[in-house]
Amino acid sequence: MRFIHYVTGIMILTLGCSLMIQSNLGTSPFDALLVGLTTQVGLTVGSWEVIIAAIMIVFNALLNKQRPEVLGLITAFITGIGIDLWLFLLQPLIQPEHLLTKLFCVLVGLTVLGLGTAIYLYANFAPIPVDRSMLIIQDLTGMNILYSKTLIYFFFLGMALAFSGPIGIGTLLTVCLGGPILNYFSPLIRNRLSTLGPSANDKGKNQNHSL
């Protein structure tokens, strides 16, 4: 059951990422960086997901003073495949041309992204290295998810700008609403899924993760 939550959450969150990319109205700072690297350097968005993840794993190990969490690469690999797959499927189907349809695509994508992130984090299996950074900052500073995720967003916003990533209204909405949406879904998912069986987070209390 835990693994099902893990994979389901990743597939949902990558759908949200892909919807925002297809909106052409700006995406999350991290995804904007991936798209910018794809445009400027080459490779697919999913490929850059894995490459940046490897860098973040080293960063997280230094920040948390622990061994590199190599298992996070598995999550990044699945996430990269999910993004590339959804983009392949959505590109011929979703090409919004008007501002309202683009904005609708962004808002749906942002909501789906937050829902998927809450589900896969609940599984406490192997967070995407970027989300692991969010959790580490939360543990070290005492911030809740809203503030720690927003801090991460601003860091990658600067990186995305440096690589001419797709920054726009969608990016602003993500920075402002991404943290609150995740903060909203996290307790709902925890309460809902905990009724289906033992909490994955209870099994992993030794990791000090608080969603």
Side-chain angles (χ1 to χ4, degrees):
M1 183 64 69
R2 181 182 177 189
F3 185 74
I4 293 176
H5 293 159
Y6 166 71
V7 175
T8 300
I10 290 179
M11 294 311 296
I12 293 175
L13 76 87
T14 52
L15 172 59
C17 292
S18 301
L19 284 170
M20 295 188 68
I21 291 174
Q22 284 301 108
S23 73
N24 291 319
L25 202 61
T27 184
S28 72
F30 181 73
D31 292 329
L33 172 60
L34 301 182
V35 175
L37 287 168
T38 297
T39 303
Q40 299 293 326
V41 182
L43 301 179
T44 66
V45 176
S47 298
W48 281 111
E49 169 79 32
V50 177
I51 294 172
I52 298 298
I55 297 174
M56 292 300 298
I57 285 174
V58 176
F59 171 78
N60 290 341
L62 295 174
L63 189 63
N64 211 26
K65 298 179 181 179
Q66 294 181 353
R67 291 183 178 181
E69 191 179 19
V70 181
L71 190 61
L73 279 177
I74 297 177
T75 304
F77 183 72
I78 298 175
T79 302
I81 292 177
I83 292 176
D84 286 345
L85 177 61
W86 282 120
L87 287 176
F88 175 77
L89 295 175
L90 294 178
Q91 280 176 352
L93 300 176
I94 300 180
Q95 294 288 344
E97 298 181 357
H98 303 290
L99 179 60
L100 287 180
T101 55
K102 290 183 177 182
L103 185 60
F104 178 77
C105 194
V106 167
L107 292 176
V108 171
L110 189 55
T111 302
V112 171
L113 173 61
L115 173 62
T117 302
I119 293 173
Y120 106 87
L121 283 178
Y122 173 84
N124 198 18
F125 188 79
I128 297 171
V130 173
D131 288 324
R132 175 66 81 191
S133 299
M134 175 188 68
L135 294 172
I136 291 174
I137 291 175
Q138 179 189 19
D139 289 340
L140 292 178
T141 64
M143 295 179 178
N144 62 21
I145 286 182
L146 190 158
Y147 293 111
S148 59
K149 191 172 184 68
T150 301
L151 181 63
I152 293 292
Y153 275 160
F154 276 110
F155 171 77
F156 281 106
L157 177 62
M159 295 292 292
L161 288 171
F163 286 94
S164 302
I167 303 298
I169 296 176
T171 308
L172 178 62
L173 290 174
T174 304
V175 171
C176 295
L177 301 179
I181 288 175
L182 178 58
N183 211 42
Y184 170 79
F185 277 122
S186 291
L188 294 180
I189 294 300
R190 182 178 63 247
N191 294 335
R192 177 64 176 174
L193 296 183
S194 63
T195 63
L196 303 178
S199 171
N201 285 321
D202 289 340
K203 295 178 181 179
K205 281 183 178 180
N206 61 321
Q207 297 185 34
N208 297 319
H209 292 161
S210 174
L211 300 181

